[in-house]
Amino acid sequence: MKISLDWLRTLIPTDKPAEEIGKLLTGSGLEVEGIEELESVPGGLRGVVLGTVLTREKHPDADKLSVTTVDVGDGTIRQIVCGAPNVAAGQRVVVALDGAVLHPSEGEPFKIKKSKIRGLASEGMICAEDEIGLGQSHAGIMVLDTDLPNGTPAAEYFGLGSDSVFEIGLTPNRADAASHYGVARELRALLRQPCHLPDISGFHAPAAAVTPISVILEDAAAAPRYAGLLLENVQVGPSPEWLQRRLRSIGLSPINNVVDVTNFVLHELGQPLHAFDADQITGNQVRVKRAAEGEKFTTLDDTERTLRAEDLVIADTNGTPMALAGVFGGKTSGVSEATTRIFLESAYFAPAVVRKTGQTHQLKTDASFRFERGTDPNMVLIGLKRAALLLQEVAGATVAAPVVDEYPTHIGHTAVRLRLPRVEKLVGQFIAPKRIRQILTDLDILISEELIDEQPTTNNQQPTTTWILSVPPHKVDVTREADVIEEILRIYGYNHVALRPHNSATYLAQFPNPDPEIIRQNTARLLSGQGFSEIITNSITNSLYFEKEEEKDDTLVRLLNFNSAELNVMRPTLLHSGLEVIRHNVNRRQRDLKLYEFGKAYRQKAGGQYEEYNKLVIYLTGNTAAETWQQKSDKSSFHQLAGAVQQVLASLGFPQPTSQPVQHPYLAGGLTLLAQNQPVAQLGAVSTAILKRLDVSQPVWYAELDWDWLMRKYKNALVARELPKFPEVRRDLSLVVDKTVTFDQLQQIARRTEKKLLQQVNVFDVYEGDNLGQGKKSYSVSFLLQDPAQTLTDQAIDSVMNRLIQQFEQQAGALIRK
């Protein structure tokens, strides 16, 4: 939410600088995430002043130039060459001095310098309105009618000034602060300085109307209060500059004077308004009712929507919807350039009703943002009258009928009991009752009754004082004693609560064992220690990575209100977003990359349900290390990636995964690692088609680990064993097998054959050649044998190796090379 300091000062006069106000608001719970400095025109007209043309003569060497002398109030008369046809002696003009940087309405900024024009010195520039960004006219210089002295800054004359805009991270419970007046109320309590509502005393309405528009409130529970006002002689057009400037300061684009006024009041007072074209209201009757199940309604964005019976609509006499109450207006009843009569709506809608409608139709507007959190029913008429006065000013409107205000059941204050000793107990520090009373008063919370428990107490305890408080309806989140104490503490200041030497708690929460976050951090440290860098990528990506225009993928989780066609789905895999990072780095000559990321992927299941799952992904590309004079650098390989993955699995309690050929849509060969017969990791080379689609110019090794499964099956038990006292023995075999036989198959045969003495199986060479025969390859495999209880004898070793040879020949069709 954006709040303009200049706008805020119209409601609470304060000379506090923006930085100090930002700290005060942040300390009270309205976190200021940033402060942006804005200027009415670029550059703020610095170095541009008012002056008087003393003399004007024709340039001797140019027919269209004039030589003038100008007084700018600093005691030095300047000679300025001017090309404007309307320059004359005695004029009050706008002068850009040497060094001023001008930002014209069109074109690039330029700097004013002393120069010679056709041989004569020129010490500045007399300006036209387009040259200083105040308009489009270039017919001549600006001639002013003013008594301000020479040298007066032009920004002061034109009423231009800088503004500071706060970006406030508004939490859902602070609906009371969702406007400039709401923030002003907060500052009133923080600064102990009064704030005020805009003056609406000038509002007057006739006692009767020739063609009034009536309101029928058919669902008072969904719309407890609904007010409206008929305005005629409305001239729809552009808003005046001051109004456009106010809206632009908070990031809104001006549309027309009617819409701009409703937006202005919404952000000033927090009261949403809606303007209907009164001539489009059939029967001069507005009905606030529930929609008919399945009826069609076209909103202002030209989208036809199917309504539900739970949707609250604003309809005409025939029941035809004109707007989704509190959310969005209809196309046919909206204000256009031809509109001359409007019916201005100001209402209080039940938050739950607006929230359900917005979620059903995937609509989020500034109005629904406030209605679904809770607005102030007492602001309904104030906002309506404020808007009417502004429309009279900027659109020439006249009030044509009395205010219609349907308010069958008054929404009163909420009674909350506050026990003063409870304040100290929850805050942890004594706050004087006088200060508490002051804070509550500044927050519009009244003390309606004061009770003192006069019963005798033990241990010399003091009588308990209880206040019955009256909380205004705009404090939608204050309904309990704890809420009131939170309000007191916000204004009192969290920083004013001293820390005790010894803090304690009455309750200690049980922490999960093991803690998934600790496991993730440990795994991240493991990978970072191997030279990998962690990345964080966007979980929203481009659907064209996974489908073609004519082939839609029903498993993708699509965004209904995406801002960019390149960011329109939730990613089904982390691969593509990681490849974007690799592409960005490679294009900037950072080619040797070792990356990893923890992140979520998303998919839609057959029943329309959505699923998210956590992954750990690892990338390798380029060289293993920078080349040095001692050794050349090798290319990153599959085995380096596999080693990193196996270290991660071992740290999580899965030291010896089995493997099988990978079946992954984006990998061109590789392995799937299994633990407990469950695929837990897939690794291999990214296919060239994917690399080409992402415009990655070098090979990439990729691994994807099922982090959710690994967390569920995580083994944190450590088993300590005594180091073996007896030596290990190594024996090597060279096995000729079919090309289809993998080393993993050989390893599994070996471990099934010898489970006691066999400690390790490793392949140290693979050979393929014509001398082996068609479709054959040779594995050179080492076997480590060890008995923890005794030294192995030749007889025991030979027995094991003979059994291994026999099983390799029978199960893998191996030929033992000798």
Side-chain angles (χ1 to χ4, degrees):
M1 180 184 72
K2 294 183 182 292
I3 294 293
S4 160
L5 179 57
D6 189 44
W7 192 345
L8 194 62
R9 283 173 172 155
T10 65
L11 303 171
I12 179 168
T14 176
D15 58 358
K16 299 286 185 183
E19 292 75 12
E20 183 174 344
I21 291 177
K23 291 179 180 178
L24 287 171
L25 293 175
T26 298
S28 72
L30 297 180
E31 182 179 359
V32 176
E33 298 174 341
I35 303 176
E36 180 184 3
E37 298 297 327
L38 294 182
E39 295 173 325
S40 300
V41 295
L45 297 187
R46 285 185 289 274
V48 182
V49 299
L50 304 191
T52 300
V53 178
L54 302 179
T55 62
R56 181 259 183 187
E57 296 179 356
K58 182 178 176 299
H59 194 293
D61 296 325
D63 294 338
K64 294 185 178 181
L65 297 179
S66 301
V67 181
T68 68
T69 56
V70 181
D71 180 8
V72 294
D74 61 356
T76 300
I77 305 302
R78 286 170 171 75
Q79 176 175 288
I80 297 177
V81 177
C82 179
N86 63 327
V87 64
Q91 291 175 336
R92 300 301 307 282
V93 293
V94 178
V95 182
L97 303 178
D98 177 37
V101 177
L102 300 186
H103 296 258
S105 300
E106 296 182 1
E108 297 297 321
F110 60 93
K111 186 176 183 179
I112 301 299
K113 298 180 180 179
K114 292 182 180 180
S115 61
K116 285 190 176 182
I117 301 178
R118 293 292 182 92
L120 295 182
S122 183
E123 304 173 285
M125 186 174 80
I126 305 175
C127 302
E129 66 177 39
D130 67 324
E131 293 169 333
I132 55 177
L134 292 181
Q136 301 296 326
S137 175
H138 194 69
I141 61 171
M142 302 176 71
V143 180
L144 311 179
D145 182 11
T146 179
D147 294 327
L148 290 174
N150 292 331
T152 300
E156 179 181 331
Y157 170 79
F158 291 109
L160 305 178
S162 61
D163 191 9
S164 299
V165 178
F166 302 105
E167 182 67 45
I168 295 179
L170 194 68
T171 53
N173 64 315
R174 293 304 310 276
D176 62 299
S179 65
H180 284 75
Y181 182 65
V183 175
R185 280 188 306 216
E186 191 81 356
L187 287 175
R188 175 183 61 189
L190 295 168
L191 298 175
R192 298 286 298 129
Q193 185 174 334
C195 70
H196 59 84
L197 285 164
D199 182 17
I200 57 172
S201 60
F203 176 82
H204 300 288
V210 177
T211 55
I213 294 179
S214 60
V215 172
I216 298 178
L217 200 59
E218 298 184 15
D219 193 334
R225 188 173 193 180
Y226 189 94
L229 182 65
L230 179 63
L231 298 170
E232 295 182 344
N233 303 318
V234 177
Q235 300 174 16
V236 179
S239 296
E241 178 59 31
W242 71 266
L243 181 52
Q244 294 190 36
R245 188 166 64 248
R246 282 280 188 254
L247 296 179
R248 289 195 187 100
S249 70
I250 58 173
L252 297 181
S253 299
I255 298 174
N256 59 54
N257 46 12
V258 175
V259 176
D260 292 350
V261 163
T262 60
N263 285 332
F264 177 86
V265 173
L266 180 145
H267 288 276
E268 182 181 55
L269 302 179
Q271 176 59 47
L273 305 171
H274 187 70
F276 296 97
D277 188 329
D279 292 330
Q280 303 300 321
I281 302 176
T282 304
N284 288 327
Q285 187 179 82
V286 171
R287 296 171 59 189
V288 185
K289 59 185 284 290
R290 299 282 185 168
E293 183 69 36
E295 75 175 308
K296 303 298 183 181
F297 174 58
T298 302
T299 47
L300 281 169
D301 57 357
D302 285 328
T303 301
E304 184 180 74
R305 305 181 187 275
T306 302
L307 303 184
R308 304 177 313 157
E310 294 86 356
D311 293 331
L312 187 70
V313 298
I314 312 302
D316 59 17
T317 305
N318 300 326
T320 303
M322 299 185 296
L324 285 171
V327 181
F328 213 26
K331 180 180 179 181
T332 58
S333 62
V335 173
S336 66
E337 294 181 357
T339 299
T340 59
R341 301 171 68 241
I342 65 172
F343 181 73
L344 195 60
E345 167 196 281
S346 181
Y348 172 79
F349 298 115
V353 174
V354 176
R355 188 180 305 114
K356 288 179 181 178
T357 299
Q359 290 178 343
T360 298
H361 299 287
Q362 293 297 303
L363 287 171
K364 294 293 181 183
T365 61
D366 285 342
S368 67
F369 176 87
R370 287 155 178 81
F371 276 131
E372 66 187 25
R373 285 162 175 78
T375 57
D376 184 2
N378 296 327
M379 194 62 72
V380 169
L381 290 186
I382 297 173
L384 187 66
K385 294 177 181 180
R386 170 68 165 158
L389 290 171
L390 288 172
L391 288 171
Q392 287 178 332
E393 175 185 345
V394 304
T398 57
V399 180
V403 173
V404 179
D405 184 16
E406 294 296 326
Y407 195 13
T409 303
H410 181 75
I411 299 175
H413 286 45
T414 302
V416 178
R417 184 183 67 161
L418 176 66
R419 296 163 291 177
L420 293 188
R422 188 68 175 166
V423 177
E424 181 178 358
K425 182 175 180 61
L426 292 186
V427 172
Q429 181 169 306
F430 174 76
I431 304 177
K434 181 179 179 181
R435 177 62 175 139
I436 295 175
R437 186 187 298 268
Q438 181 186 77
I439 291 174
L440 294 176
T441 301
D442 291 339
L443 292 174
D444 293 326
I445 299 176
L446 305 178
I447 303 173
S448 59
E449 191 175 355
E450 190 169 342
L451 305 175
I452 300 178
D453 183 4
E454 298 291 355
Q455 296 296 324
T457 58
T458 60
N459 299 327
N460 297 320
Q461 292 180 355
Q462 297 296 320
T464 301
T465 300
T466 300
W467 292 346
I468 306 301
L469 305 178
S470 180
V471 182
H474 70 261
K475 289 285 185 183
V476 294
D477 64 319
V478 182
T479 58
R480 306 168 301 162
E481 183 181 53
D483 299 332
V484 174
I485 296 173
E486 181 185 359
E487 292 290 289
I488 295 169
L489 182 56
R490 284 195 310 101
I491 304 303
Y492 180 75
Y494 296 101
N495 293 335
H496 293 157
V497 178
L499 292 176
R500 297 178 178 179
H502 303 286
N503 290 319
S504 61
T506 58
Y507 173 74
L508 185 63
Q510 293 183 352
F511 292 91
N513 187 25
D515 187 340
E517 181 60 23
I518 298 299
I519 300 172
R520 192 195 71 79
Q521 291 176 5
N522 290 338
T523 305
R525 281 194 287 267
L526 173 65
L527 290 169
S528 297
Q530 298 180 45
F532 288 85
S533 298
E534 185 172 10
I535 60 174
I536 301 175
T537 59
N538 196 349
S539 59
I540 306 175
T541 187
N542 191 343
S543 62
L544 294 182
Y545 287 158
F546 315 101
E547 62 184 7
K548 298 179 180 179
E549 289 288 349
E550 65 276 4
E551 298 177 6
K552 298 299 182 182
D553 187 345
D554 293 335
T555 65
L556 293 178
V557 179
R558 302 180 186 278
L559 302 182
L560 299 179
N561 56 344
F562 57 86
N563 293 326
S564 168
E566 296 181 353
L567 296 172
N568 61 345
V569 296
M570 305 298 290
R571 61 184 177 193
T573 174
L574 279 66
L575 172 62
H576 297 76
S577 53
L579 290 177
E580 290 176 342
V581 174
I582 291 174
R583 179 185 63 202
H584 179 86
N585 282 272
V586 169
N587 290 345
R588 287 155 181 80
R589 304 185 65 81
Q590 301 299 314
R591 298 190 175 96
D592 305 331
L593 302 172
K594 300 171 69 175
L595 309 172
Y596 70 94
E597 179 180 10
F598 294 90
K600 293 182 182 293
Y602 308 84
R603 64 186 172 199
Q604 184 176 187
K605 297 190 291 187
Q609 298 296 316
Y610 297 106
E611 182 180 20
E612 68 177 25
Y613 41 97
N614 291 282
K615 297 288 185 182
L616 166 61
V617 295
I618 304 174
Y619 306 87
L620 269 178
T621 185
N623 294 330
T624 56
E627 188 176 20
T628 68
W629 65 274
Q630 293 177 312
Q631 62 181 9
K632 293 183 178 181
S633 180
D634 296 326
K635 294 289 185 182
S636 298
S637 67
F638 171 81
H639 298 288
Q640 291 173 327
L641 178 68
V645 172
Q646 289 178 350
Q647 285 195 47
V648 170
L649 294 177
S651 71
L652 299 175
F654 308 98
Q656 294 180 339
T658 58
S659 64
Q660 64 185 27
V662 73
Q663 299 292 329
H664 193 288
Y666 304 128
L667 297 182
L671 291 178
T672 296
L673 301 183
L674 298 94
Q676 301 177 10
N677 294 322
Q678 171 69 29
V680 295
Q682 295 175 299
L683 55 154
V686 180
S687 70
T688 55
I690 298 299
L691 295 177
K692 184 176 180 181
R693 177 173 293 185
L694 272 294
D695 198 23
V696 177
S697 58
Q698 63 187 44
V700 177
W701 298 102
Y702 172 73
E704 180 178 282
L705 285 76
D706 187 345
W707 193 251
D708 287 328
W709 189 91
L710 292 170
M711 288 299 95
R712 289 195 300 271
K713 303 295 183 178
Y714 171 72
K715 300 176 182 178
N716 62 345
L718 296 178
V719 178
R721 294 187 179 93
E722 185 180 0
L723 292 175
K725 298 178 181 179
F726 302 97
E728 62 186 23
V729 175
R730 170 173 167 164
R731 290 291 185 267
D732 297 342
L733 289 178
S734 182
L735 309 174
V736 178
V737 294
D738 291 338
K739 285 187 177 180
T740 57
V741 176
T742 66
F743 168 70
D744 186 64
Q745 292 173 301
L746 298 177
Q747 182 175 233
Q748 292 182 34
I749 292 172
R751 294 197 179 279
R752 288 196 301 267
T753 302
E754 177 54 51
K755 298 181 179 179
K756 179 181 178 182
L757 301 182
L758 183 61
Q759 303 299 321
Q760 184 177 332
V761 182
N762 182 50
V763 59
F764 59 88
D765 188 32
V766 179
Y767 173 74
E768 294 183 25
D770 294 337
N771 58 330
L772 293 179
Q774 184 70 24
K776 298 290 185 178
K777 64 181 175 181
S778 172
Y779 286 108
S780 296
V781 184
S782 65
F783 303 88
L784 288 183
L785 306 177
Q786 189 177 43
D787 190 335
Q790 61 184 351
T791 300
L792 289 174
T793 64
D794 288 341
Q795 182 180 0
I797 297 170
D798 291 341
S799 175
V800 171
M801 295 307 299
N802 288 333
R803 291 201 311 273
L804 289 174
I805 291 172
Q806 181 182 10
Q807 294 302 316
F808 287 143
E809 291 174 340
Q810 292 179 359
Q811 298 186 40
L815 173 65
I816 310 302
R817 297 179 67 191
K818 299 180 181 179

